[in-house]
Amino acid sequence: MSRPYPFTALVGQDSLRLALLLNAVSPAVGGVLVRGEKGTAKSTAVRALSALLPAVAVVPGCRFSCDPASPDPSCPDGPHEAGTGTERPARMVELPVGASEDRLVGALDIERALAEGVKAFEPGLLADAHRGILYVDEVNLLHDHLVDLLLDAAAMGASYVEREGVSVRHASKFLLVGTMNPEEGELRPQLLDRFGLTVEVAASREPEQRVEVVRRRLAYDDDPAAFAARWAGEEAAVRQRIVAARALLPSVRLGDGALKQIAATCAAFEVDGMRADIVMARTATALAAWAGRTDVLAEDVRQAALLALPHRRRRNPFDAPGLDEDKLDETLEQFSGDDADGDDDPDPDGPGGGGGQPAPDSGPQGDGGDAAQPEAGEGGQPQASGGQEQSAVRAAEPFRTRVLSVPGIGEGAAGRRSRARTEHGRTTGARRPQGALTKLHLAATVQAAAPHQRARGRSGPGLVVRRDDLRQATREGREGNLVLFVVDASGSMAARQRMSAVKGAVLSLLLDAYQRRDKVGLVTFRGAAAEVALPPTSSVDAAAVRLESLPTGGRTPLAAGLLKAHEVLRVERLRDPARRPLVVVVTDGRATGGPEPLLLASRAAGLFAAEGVASVVVDCESGPVRLGLAGKLAGELGGTAVTLDELRADSIAGLVKGIQSRRAA
């Protein structure tokens, strides 16, 4: 087994390192979500932490890591008598993004359960992670049903497995650590709130620090054992400090002044619920223990806020995480008290401050530079051709949209938009299992076994079941789709109030795509050509940024926009053939520039109709005189047209039925 990279050999990123250490001191803090660009040692830092955790005492032979001092009375391997156990290292269990439900929660032997009434249970990752770390890399890409199981286990401290009336329960208390690249999509709010702390990481822009990162990494790759030995002393010191902080933690006093500051801060930043207050209190207490103190000071509260609140203050998925530190300082000063006053305390940002930051010499291998500001991208670059350029306008306030779905039944990635055959959902039938049985169809299994009972020598009340009798339940649920936006940014759309409404509508559809777990893409057309402002991605945040910086002006090359969208779909079909597309064209239907622009647009639209691509045209035409060109375009696409007003969820009924009836015709 390869040695993990030493935690104390990591370079920079003090906030990441501190957040991980605070959870090692007090697992009740609730875990860490590490957000950042690729190549910033997120996974390296998490794996390095596991080697620092103190060993845990377990009941010998128990597959569920019961504590010998207080064994779980409902442990499937129990009952256990309280007594002396054995010690083993704390585990770090990694949950793959593509893991099955049975791999996560465990599996029952259905055949033995039916035929013998025996609860033959094989533990899953939730059992392995009990009293340790459950690490999810790319947690934002985790399937929804696995997220639901994680939330249930994290909330109850236990995992339940049920199969056709046979149930098993076991304890599952773990430190949840997740890493993610925000460019690949955001987390559901329920899971985001479950992480106690969050940290943003980025690669350093300091050449000297980058040189040290490379130097240490090359030394580790050349000889991991020798490199680990070089840092053994520092590792032992941090491990001893964790043990000492754990011992001191019950003695730390969280006074009324600190509690008032915590409550005032959470109220000032308008976070939802009370979990933020509780997490801040636990974090501030852990910070004091890590610093070797028994009193919580004002700088502990401040540091706790910086770690516990950024991901909770987001009012919608497009808000950037973070806190206004000036507002934070004003709130803390306003509610400062005798036992929460940091005037005479060490510098909160220094090595000996309230957070007890590790020495600046060591830190995550990634680095500690500031994150680069997102660029406007292709959609924000001015074009020289096709008419006068107009600057970008802000989007109008988003609204809840009607559900747009793809007709038929697909087999794409799990989501919440269109009907699909999935592993989860309502049961629609049964079939012979292909591979391991995951969802038993009890009635079909009994029906298959019943005719053979006499031939199998059945003499008692029990049913004689053979493996060939087992039937897999077929289920129907929802899938996520590729929603490709084709947005007209030409001069005919350039009236500022009109374009603001158009952007607000697209932003509303992006918000809907986020909630339904879709991939999104953005094609814009104006001037003389079309461009892919954003290739298909799971990050609706990126699409919102490109949309916000989108300028307008010039002619209307509608045909070019449709052809560009058709090419994007062709390439994406090769990459992800199971994900069905939904094309949303946002235009007034006009086409200008070149010979016979409307005819060319009609021919381009025919490509979508011939391939059966589901499409919706959002008609942006306004004014007393309407040409109806958007409606005609929708007919040529084989889709349907809706106005901006009709796009609202509370405007009219039957929009999806309209799409489906048009496709059926």
Side-chain angles (χ1 to χ4, degrees):
M1 182 177 178
S2 62
R3 295 174 180 266
Y5 193 94
F7 189 85
T8 51
L10 300 169
V11 180
Q13 310 267 22
D14 286 346
S15 293
L16 168 60
R17 192 157 39 94
L18 179 62
L20 292 172
L21 289 171
L22 291 177
N23 276 273
V25 171
S26 176
V29 166
V32 186
L33 174 64
V34 187
R35 298 164 47 93
E37 59 197 26
K38 53 187 178 293
T40 49
K42 301 185 295 293
S43 300
T44 300
V46 176
R47 294 188 175 97
L49 175 69
S50 62
L52 296 178
L53 297 181
V56 295
V58 296
V59 173
C62 178
R63 298 173 297 167
F64 301 88
S65 301
C66 279
D67 186 347
S70 57
D72 181 6
S74 61
C75 175
D77 284 354
H80 304 301
E81 293 185 3
T84 304
T86 61
E87 284 195 346
R88 63 159 176 79
R91 291 175 179 160
M92 191 202 75
V93 177
E94 188 164 353
L95 172 62
V97 170
S100 66
E101 179 181 341
D102 285 346
R103 183 71 187 99
L104 178 63
V105 302
L108 289 169
D109 188 327
I110 301 298
E111 186 175 359
R112 290 188 64 191
L114 286 176
E116 305 172 29
V118 176
K119 293 183 181 180
F121 180 70
E122 185 66 28
L125 296 177
L126 289 180
D128 293 341
H130 180 45
R131 304 175 66 198
I133 300 174
L134 181 61
Y135 171 49
V136 189
D137 193 13
E138 297 181 322
V139 63
N140 50 325
L141 304 182
L142 198 64
H143 287 176
D144 274 359
H145 70 283
L146 296 182
V147 170
D148 293 336
L149 293 170
L150 271 182
L151 292 175
D152 289 343
M156 297 184 293
S159 175
Y160 293 84
V161 185
E162 298 195 10
R163 292 289 191 278
E164 304 298 341
V166 181
S167 63
V168 172
R169 174 209 172 275
H170 65 82
S172 182
K173 297 179 180 179
F174 47 83
L175 169 59
L176 182 61
V177 180
T179 56
M180 60 174 283
N181 183 348
E183 294 178 356
E184 297 173 341
E186 278 294 346
L187 282 176
R188 286 170 52 188
Q190 297 94 325
L191 182 57
L192 193 63
D193 186 54
R194 185 62 62 181
F195 286 97
L197 311 179
T198 186
V199 178
E200 296 279 337
V201 296
S204 174
R205 303 301 184 250
E206 294 294 331
E208 291 183 2
Q209 196 170 53
R210 297 176 75 100
V211 166
E212 186 61 23
V213 169
V214 175
R215 181 182 292 118
R216 293 187 186 184
R217 185 70 204 193
L218 293 178
Y220 169 77
D221 291 340
D222 289 341
D223 192 341
F227 188 81
R230 172 185 164 192
W231 293 90
E234 287 83 350
E235 293 282 286
V238 174
R239 191 178 296 109
Q240 291 171 3
R241 188 173 175 184
I242 292 173
V243 173
R246 283 187 173 186
L248 183 62
L249 188 65
S251 303
V252 176
R253 186 177 73 93
L254 183 65
D256 289 343
L259 280 172
K260 287 179 181 178
Q261 286 187 319
I262 290 170
T265 301
C266 292
F269 286 99
E270 300 180 346
V271 296
D272 295 329
M274 294 298 298
R275 182 173 284 122
D277 303 62
I278 296 171
V279 170
M280 272 190 67
R282 290 172 174 166
T283 304
T285 304
L287 281 161
W290 178 248
R293 289 186 273 98
T294 56
D295 286 318
V296 173
L297 303 179
E299 64 265 25
D300 298 325
V301 176
R302 186 182 193 278
Q303 183 67 64
L306 292 175
L307 292 172
L309 296 188
H311 59 303
R312 292 187 167 90
R313 60 153 293 277
R314 304 180 69 187
R315 310 313 298 173
N316 67 65
F318 307 132
D319 288 340
L323 288 183
D324 183 340
E325 295 195 31
D326 291 337
K327 180 179 179 181
L328 173 61
D329 290 336
E330 290 175 5
T331 304
L332 294 176
E333 178 65 25
Q334 181 182 356
F335 289 88
S336 62
D338 293 338
D339 58 351
D341 181 36
D343 290 346
D344 298 325
D345 299 320
D347 179 4
D349 295 325
Q357 294 275 9
D361 196 23
S362 60
Q365 176 187 345
D367 34 78
D370 295 333
Q373 294 298 320
E375 297 177 357
E378 296 173 1
Q381 297 297 327
Q383 289 188 4
S385 60
Q388 186 175 1
E389 176 82 18
Q390 294 196 22
S391 60
V393 298
R394 295 187 61 83
E397 191 70 21
F399 52 84
R400 188 167 64 92
T401 67
R402 299 202 62 84
V403 179
L404 307 178
S405 64
V406 178
I409 302 179
E411 296 181 347
R416 298 178 179 178
R417 183 171 297 278
S418 304
R419 295 172 58 197
R421 285 180 285 271
T422 62
E423 288 294 320
H424 303 271
R426 63 185 182 88
T427 301
T428 58
R431 60 174 174 80
R432 291 181 182 273
Q434 299 173 350
L437 179 71
T438 55
K439 297 291 183 182
L440 178 74
H441 195 296
L442 182 58
T445 298
V446 172
Q447 186 177 11
H452 308 292
Q453 297 304 296
R454 181 174 297 179
R456 293 173 181 174
R458 172 185 170 184
S459 57
L463 188 68
V464 181
V465 179
R466 302 280 172 81
R467 181 165 295 278
D468 192 55
D469 300 328
L470 300 178
R471 294 295 182 268
Q472 173 83 25
T474 57
R475 297 174 179 254
E476 182 179 305
R478 293 280 169 178
E479 67 177 1
N481 298 111
L482 166 60
V483 182
L484 182 61
F485 295 94
V486 186
V487 179
D488 183 350
S490 65
S492 65
M493 302 281 287
R496 298 185 69 86
Q497 186 175 359
R498 184 179 179 189
M499 197 61 197
S500 177
V502 168
K503 285 188 176 183
V506 178
L507 193 65
S508 303
L509 290 167
L510 283 172
L511 181 60
D512 181 68
Y514 164 78
Q515 295 168 339
R516 299 186 186 281
R517 311 290 283 179
D518 294 316
K519 291 180 71 173
V520 296
L522 178 62
V523 172
T524 64
F525 58 94
R526 65 189 183 96
E531 63 179 356
V532 181
L534 184 72
T537 175
S538 297
S539 175
V540 295
D541 283 21
V545 170
R546 300 295 173 91
L547 176 70
E548 192 68 26
S549 61
L550 179 67
T552 58
R555 294 181 179 275
T556 311
L558 177 58
L562 295 175
L563 291 174
K564 181 67 72 174
H566 186 267
E567 175 63 17
V568 170
L569 293 185
R570 185 190 68 80
V571 174
E572 192 64 19
R573 195 176 293 118
L574 298 175
R575 295 174 178 168
D576 192 358
R579 189 181 291 268
R580 297 186 296 162
L582 173 65
V583 176
V584 179
V585 185
V586 184
T587 181
D588 57 10
R590 289 181 172 84
T592 59
E596 300 184 353
L598 286 175
L599 177 60
L600 292 177
S602 175
R603 290 176 178 175
L607 298 175
F608 293 87
E611 296 175 0
V613 177
S615 59
V616 176
V617 177
V618 179
D619 185 358
C620 302
E621 191 173 30
S622 60
V625 179
R626 296 175 179 267
L627 302 179
L629 296 176
K632 181 179 178 182
L633 175 63
E636 293 166 341
L637 286 166
T640 189
V642 295
T643 65
L644 290 174
D645 289 337
E646 292 170 344
L647 191 60
R648 294 178 179 272
D650 54 358
S651 58
I652 58 171
L655 176 59
V656 178
K657 293 180 180 179
I659 298 173
Q660 294 175 339
S661 62
R662 178 69 67 100
R663 291 278 291 109

PDB file of all heavy atoms in Angstrom, residues 465-486:
ATOM      1  N   VAL A 465     -37.321 -21.409  -3.471  1.00  0.00           N
ATOM      2  CA  VAL A 465     -36.954 -20.419  -4.482  1.00  0.00           C
ATOM      3  C   VAL A 465     -35.565 -20.735  -5.015  1.00  0.00           C
ATOM      4  O   VAL A 465     -34.636 -20.970  -4.240  1.00  0.00           O
ATOM      5  CB  VAL A 465     -36.976 -18.999  -3.895  1.00  0.00           C
ATOM      6  CG1 VAL A 465     -36.569 -17.972  -4.949  1.00  0.00           C
ATOM      7  CG2 VAL A 465     -38.357 -18.665  -3.348  1.00  0.00           C
ATOM      8  N   ARG A 466     -35.446 -20.758  -6.322  1.00  0.00           N
ATOM      9  CA  ARG A 466     -34.147 -20.924  -6.974  1.00  0.00           C
ATOM     10  C   ARG A 466     -33.732 -19.592  -7.612  1.00  0.00           C
ATOM     11  O   ARG A 466     -34.560 -18.703  -7.834  1.00  0.00           O
ATOM     12  CB  ARG A 466     -34.241 -22.000  -8.063  1.00  0.00           C
ATOM     13  CG  ARG A 466     -34.708 -23.356  -7.546  1.00  0.00           C
ATOM     14  CD  ARG A 466     -33.596 -24.120  -6.886  1.00  0.00           C
ATOM     15  NE  ARG A 466     -34.070 -25.325  -6.219  1.00  0.00           N
ATOM     16  CZ  ARG A 466     -34.321 -26.485  -6.866  1.00  0.00           C
ATOM     17  NH1 ARG A 466     -34.142 -26.572  -8.167  1.00  0.00           N
ATOM     18  NH2 ARG A 466     -34.751 -27.527  -6.187  1.00  0.00           N
ATOM     19  N   ARG A 467     -32.449 -19.484  -7.870  1.00  0.00           N
ATOM     20  CA  ARG A 467     -31.953 -18.227  -8.440  1.00  0.00           C
ATOM     21  C   ARG A 467     -32.640 -17.892  -9.749  1.00  0.00           C
ATOM     22  O   ARG A 467     -32.874 -16.721 -10.065  1.00  0.00           O
ATOM     23  CB  ARG A 467     -30.438 -18.311  -8.632  1.00  0.00           C
ATOM     24  CG  ARG A 467     -29.822 -17.030  -9.204  1.00  0.00           C
ATOM     25  CD  ARG A 467     -28.329 -17.013  -9.037  1.00  0.00           C
ATOM     26  NE  ARG A 467     -27.948 -16.967  -7.637  1.00  0.00           N
ATOM     27  CZ  ARG A 467     -27.906 -15.855  -6.919  1.00  0.00           C
ATOM     28  NH1 ARG A 467     -28.238 -14.694  -7.468  1.00  0.00           N
ATOM     29  NH2 ARG A 467     -27.551 -15.884  -5.658  1.00  0.00           N
ATOM     30  N   ASP A 468     -33.018 -18.898 -10.539  1.00  0.00           N
ATOM     31  CA  ASP A 468     -33.645 -18.640 -11.832  1.00  0.00           C
ATOM     32  C   ASP A 468     -35.051 -18.060 -11.685  1.00  0.00           C
ATOM     33  O   ASP A 468     -35.603 -17.528 -12.639  1.00  0.00           O
ATOM     34  CB  ASP A 468     -33.700 -19.936 -12.644  1.00  0.00           C
ATOM     35  CG  ASP A 468     -34.059 -19.692 -14.101  1.00  0.00           C
ATOM     36  OD1 ASP A 468     -33.359 -18.877 -14.747  1.00  0.00           O
ATOM     37  OD2 ASP A 468     -35.051 -20.275 -14.578  1.00  0.00           O
ATOM     38  N   ASP A 469     -35.613 -18.162 -10.474  1.00  0.00           N
ATOM     39  CA  ASP A 469     -36.954 -17.611 -10.248  1.00  0.00           C
ATOM     40  C   ASP A 469     -36.930 -16.101  -9.992  1.00  0.00           C
ATOM     41  O   ASP A 469     -37.965 -15.439 -10.130  1.00  0.00           O
ATOM     42  CB  ASP A 469     -37.604 -18.292  -9.035  1.00  0.00           C
ATOM     43  CG  ASP A 469     -37.747 -19.789  -9.216  1.00  0.00           C
ATOM     44  OD1 ASP A 469     -37.944 -20.228 -10.367  1.00  0.00           O
ATOM     45  OD2 ASP A 469     -37.643 -20.513  -8.209  1.00  0.00           O
ATOM     46  N   LEU A 470     -35.797 -15.588  -9.572  1.00  0.00           N
ATOM     47  CA  LEU A 470     -35.728 -14.184  -9.167  1.00  0.00           C
ATOM     48  C   LEU A 470     -36.017 -13.267 -10.345  1.00  0.00           C
ATOM     49  O   LEU A 470     -35.562 -13.493 -11.469  1.00  0.00           O
ATOM     50  CB  LEU A 470     -34.357 -13.865  -8.584  1.00  0.00           C
ATOM     51  CG  LEU A 470     -33.946 -14.658  -7.341  1.00  0.00           C
ATOM     52  CD1 LEU A 470     -32.551 -14.258  -6.910  1.00  0.00           C
ATOM     53  CD2 LEU A 470     -34.956 -14.453  -6.214  1.00  0.00           C
ATOM     54  N   ARG A 471     -36.778 -12.212 -10.066  1.00  0.00           N
ATOM     55  CA  ARG A 471     -37.128 -11.241 -11.098  1.00  0.00           C
ATOM     56  C   ARG A 471     -36.734  -9.836 -10.636  1.00  0.00           C
ATOM     57  O   ARG A 471     -36.979  -9.445  -9.489  1.00  0.00           O
ATOM     58  CB  ARG A 471     -38.635 -11.278 -11.399  1.00  0.00           C
ATOM     59  CG  ARG A 471     -39.108 -12.580 -12.029  1.00  0.00           C
ATOM     60  CD  ARG A 471     -38.506 -12.782 -13.416  1.00  0.00           C
ATOM     61  NE  ARG A 471     -38.982 -13.991 -14.059  1.00  0.00           N
ATOM     62  CZ  ARG A 471     -38.380 -15.175 -13.984  1.00  0.00           C
ATOM     63  NH1 ARG A 471     -37.250 -15.295 -13.277  1.00  0.00           N
ATOM     64  NH2 ARG A 471     -38.876 -16.226 -14.604  1.00  0.00           N
ATOM     65  N   GLN A 472     -36.131  -9.107 -11.560  1.00  0.00           N
ATOM     66  CA  GLN A 472     -35.715  -7.732 -11.312  1.00  0.00           C
ATOM     67  C   GLN A 472     -36.872  -6.793 -11.630  1.00  0.00           C
ATOM     68  O   GLN A 472     -37.524  -6.925 -12.671  1.00  0.00           O
ATOM     69  CB  GLN A 472     -34.516  -7.387 -12.199  1.00  0.00           C
ATOM     70  CG  GLN A 472     -34.076  -5.951 -12.169  1.00  0.00           C
ATOM     71  CD  GLN A 472     -33.169  -5.650 -11.000  1.00  0.00           C
ATOM     72  OE1 GLN A 472     -32.503  -6.543 -10.491  1.00  0.00           O
ATOM     73  NE2 GLN A 472     -33.131  -4.410 -10.574  1.00  0.00           N
ATOM     74  N   ALA A 473     -37.142  -5.859 -10.729  1.00  0.00           N
ATOM     75  CA  ALA A 473     -38.184  -4.862 -10.981  1.00  0.00           C
ATOM     76  C   ALA A 473     -37.679  -3.836 -11.981  1.00  0.00           C
ATOM     77  O   ALA A 473     -36.557  -3.337 -11.861  1.00  0.00           O
ATOM     78  CB  ALA A 473     -38.591  -4.184  -9.684  1.00  0.00           C
ATOM     79  N   THR A 474     -38.480  -3.541 -12.982  1.00  0.00           N
ATOM     80  CA  THR A 474     -38.160  -2.439 -13.894  1.00  0.00           C
ATOM     81  C   THR A 474     -38.888  -1.200 -13.388  1.00  0.00           C
ATOM     82  O   THR A 474     -40.066  -1.254 -13.016  1.00  0.00           O
ATOM     83  CB  THR A 474     -38.591  -2.754 -15.331  1.00  0.00           C
ATOM     84  OG1 THR A 474     -40.001  -3.046 -15.356  1.00  0.00           O
ATOM     85  CG2 THR A 474     -37.836  -3.963 -15.856  1.00  0.00           C
ATOM     86  N   ARG A 475     -38.178  -0.073 -13.391  1.00  0.00           N
ATOM     87  CA  ARG A 475     -38.711   1.136 -12.780  1.00  0.00           C
ATOM     88  C   ARG A 475     -38.635   2.318 -13.733  1.00  0.00           C
ATOM     89  O   ARG A 475     -37.780   2.349 -14.611  1.00  0.00           O
ATOM     90  CB  ARG A 475     -37.952   1.454 -11.493  1.00  0.00           C
ATOM     91  CG  ARG A 475     -38.106   0.386 -10.421  1.00  0.00           C
ATOM     92  CD  ARG A 475     -37.227   0.649  -9.228  1.00  0.00           C
ATOM     93  NE  ARG A 475     -37.407  -0.366  -8.211  1.00  0.00           N
ATOM     94  CZ  ARG A 475     -38.064  -0.202  -7.071  1.00  0.00           C
ATOM     95  NH1 ARG A 475     -38.607   0.975  -6.804  1.00  0.00           N
ATOM     96  NH2 ARG A 475     -38.192  -1.170  -6.202  1.00  0.00           N
ATOM     97  N   GLU A 476     -39.527   3.245 -13.515  1.00  0.00           N
ATOM     98  CA  GLU A 476     -39.526   4.472 -14.307  1.00  0.00           C
ATOM     99  C   GLU A 476     -39.360   5.667 -13.386  1.00  0.00           C
ATOM    100  O   GLU A 476     -40.061   5.801 -12.393  1.00  0.00           O
ATOM    101  CB  GLU A 476     -40.821   4.613 -15.108  1.00  0.00           C
ATOM    102  CG  GLU A 476     -40.841   5.847 -15.994  1.00  0.00           C
ATOM    103  CD  GLU A 476     -42.120   5.961 -16.794  1.00  0.00           C
ATOM    104  OE1 GLU A 476     -42.453   5.006 -17.515  1.00  0.00           O
ATOM    105  OE2 GLU A 476     -42.787   7.025 -16.693  1.00  0.00           O
ATOM    106  N   GLY A 477     -38.396   6.508 -13.719  1.00  0.00           N
ATOM    107  CA  GLY A 477     -38.154   7.714 -12.943  1.00  0.00           C
ATOM    108  C   GLY A 477     -37.956   8.901 -13.866  1.00  0.00           C
ATOM    109  O   GLY A 477     -38.629   9.022 -14.892  1.00  0.00           O
ATOM    110  N   ARG A 478     -36.984   9.740 -13.535  1.00  0.00           N
ATOM    111  CA  ARG A 478     -36.705  10.945 -14.314  1.00  0.00           C
ATOM    112  C   ARG A 478     -35.228  11.006 -14.660  1.00  0.00           C
ATOM    113  O   ARG A 478     -34.373  10.530 -13.905  1.00  0.00           O
ATOM    114  CB  ARG A 478     -37.096  12.197 -13.520  1.00  0.00           C
ATOM    115  CG  ARG A 478     -38.584  12.330 -13.291  1.00  0.00           C
ATOM    116  CD  ARG A 478     -39.286  12.882 -14.511  1.00  0.00           C
ATOM    117  NE  ARG A 478     -40.737  12.782 -14.409  1.00  0.00           N
ATOM    118  CZ  ARG A 478     -41.577  13.225 -15.319  1.00  0.00           C
ATOM    119  NH1 ARG A 478     -41.106  13.811 -16.413  1.00  0.00           N
ATOM    120  NH2 ARG A 478     -42.870  13.087 -15.179  1.00  0.00           N
ATOM    121  N   GLU A 479     -34.934  11.577 -15.807  1.00  0.00           N
ATOM    122  CA  GLU A 479     -33.561  11.747 -16.256  1.00  0.00           C
ATOM    123  C   GLU A 479     -33.238  13.225 -16.403  1.00  0.00           C
ATOM    124  O   GLU A 479     -34.134  14.075 -16.507  1.00  0.00           O
ATOM    125  CB  GLU A 479     -33.353  11.055 -17.606  1.00  0.00           C
ATOM    126  CG  GLU A 479     -34.131  11.717 -18.734  1.00  0.00           C
ATOM    127  CD  GLU A 479     -33.879  11.096 -20.102  1.00  0.00           C
ATOM    128  OE1 GLU A 479     -33.109  10.120 -20.181  1.00  0.00           O
ATOM    129  OE2 GLU A 479     -34.455  11.588 -21.093  1.00  0.00           O
ATOM    130  N   GLY A 480     -31.949  13.537 -16.408  1.00  0.00           N
ATOM    131  CA  GLY A 480     -31.495  14.870 -16.759  1.00  0.00           C
ATOM    132  C   GLY A 480     -31.203  14.926 -18.246  1.00  0.00           C
ATOM    133  O   GLY A 480     -30.793  13.935 -18.853  1.00  0.00           O
ATOM    134  N   ASN A 481     -31.426  16.057 -18.849  1.00  0.00           N
ATOM    135  CA  ASN A 481     -31.225  16.215 -20.294  1.00  0.00           C
ATOM    136  C   ASN A 481     -30.118  17.219 -20.582  1.00  0.00           C
ATOM    137  O   ASN A 481     -29.594  17.862 -19.671  1.00  0.00           O
ATOM    138  CB  ASN A 481     -32.526  16.664 -20.963  1.00  0.00           C
ATOM    139  CG  ASN A 481     -33.646  15.654 -20.811  1.00  0.00           C
ATOM    140  OD1 ASN A 481     -34.623  15.880 -20.114  1.00  0.00           O
ATOM    141  ND2 ASN A 481     -33.504  14.509 -21.448  1.00  0.00           N
ATOM    142  N   LEU A 482     -29.760  17.316 -21.844  1.00  0.00           N
ATOM    143  CA  LEU A 482     -28.890  18.391 -22.305  1.00  0.00           C
ATOM    144  C   LEU A 482     -29.793  19.514 -22.808  1.00  0.00           C
ATOM    145  O   LEU A 482     -30.478  19.355 -23.820  1.00  0.00           O
ATOM    146  CB  LEU A 482     -27.965  17.909 -23.420  1.00  0.00           C
ATOM    147  CG  LEU A 482     -27.252  19.017 -24.212  1.00  0.00           C
ATOM    148  CD1 LEU A 482     -26.372  19.863 -23.288  1.00  0.00           C
ATOM    149  CD2 LEU A 482     -26.434  18.433 -25.350  1.00  0.00           C
ATOM    150  N   VAL A 483     -29.826  20.620 -22.094  1.00  0.00           N
ATOM    151  CA  VAL A 483     -30.628  21.775 -22.515  1.00  0.00           C
ATOM    152  C   VAL A 483     -29.677  22.738 -23.215  1.00  0.00           C
ATOM    153  O   VAL A 483     -28.815  23.350 -22.583  1.00  0.00           O
ATOM    154  CB  VAL A 483     -31.306  22.456 -21.316  1.00  0.00           C
ATOM    155  CG1 VAL A 483     -32.166  23.620 -21.787  1.00  0.00           C
ATOM    156  CG2 VAL A 483     -32.156  21.444 -20.543  1.00  0.00           C
ATOM    157  N   LEU A 484     -29.829  22.844 -24.534  1.00  0.00           N
ATOM    158  CA  LEU A 484     -28.964  23.704 -25.340  1.00  0.00           C
ATOM    159  C   LEU A 484     -29.714  24.986 -25.684  1.00  0.00           C
ATOM    160  O   LEU A 484     -30.717  24.967 -26.394  1.00  0.00           O
ATOM    161  CB  LEU A 484     -28.532  22.980 -26.618  1.00  0.00           C
ATOM    162  CG  LEU A 484     -27.589  23.760 -27.534  1.00  0.00           C
ATOM    163  CD1 LEU A 484     -26.287  24.095 -26.814  1.00  0.00           C
ATOM    164  CD2 LEU A 484     -27.299  22.960 -28.811  1.00  0.00           C
ATOM    165  N   PHE A 485     -29.227  26.099 -25.170  1.00  0.00           N
ATOM    166  CA  PHE A 485     -29.839  27.398 -25.432  1.00  0.00           C
ATOM    167  C   PHE A 485     -29.211  28.008 -26.688  1.00  0.00           C
ATOM    168  O   PHE A 485     -27.986  28.078 -26.812  1.00  0.00           O
ATOM    169  CB  PHE A 485     -29.626  28.338 -24.253  1.00  0.00           C
ATOM    170  CG  PHE A 485     -30.328  27.894 -23.000  1.00  0.00           C
ATOM    171  CD1 PHE A 485     -29.666  27.131 -22.053  1.00  0.00           C
ATOM    172  CD2 PHE A 485     -31.649  28.233 -22.773  1.00  0.00           C
ATOM    173  CE1 PHE A 485     -30.300  26.715 -20.904  1.00  0.00           C
ATOM    174  CE2 PHE A 485     -32.294  27.819 -21.626  1.00  0.00           C
ATOM    175  CZ  PHE A 485     -31.624  27.057 -20.684  1.00  0.00           C
ATOM    176  N   VAL A 486     -30.057  28.447 -27.607  1.00  0.00           N
ATOM    177  CA  VAL A 486     -29.627  29.128 -28.832  1.00  0.00           C
ATOM    178  C   VAL A 486     -30.224  30.526 -28.765  1.00  0.00           C
ATOM    179  O   VAL A 486     -31.425  30.718 -28.974  1.00  0.00           O
ATOM    180  CB  VAL A 486     -30.096  28.377 -30.089  1.00  0.00           C
ATOM    181  CG1 VAL A 486     -29.518  29.021 -31.342  1.00  0.00           C
ATOM    182  CG2 VAL A 486     -29.714  26.903 -30.019  1.00  0.00           C
TER     183      VAL A 486
END
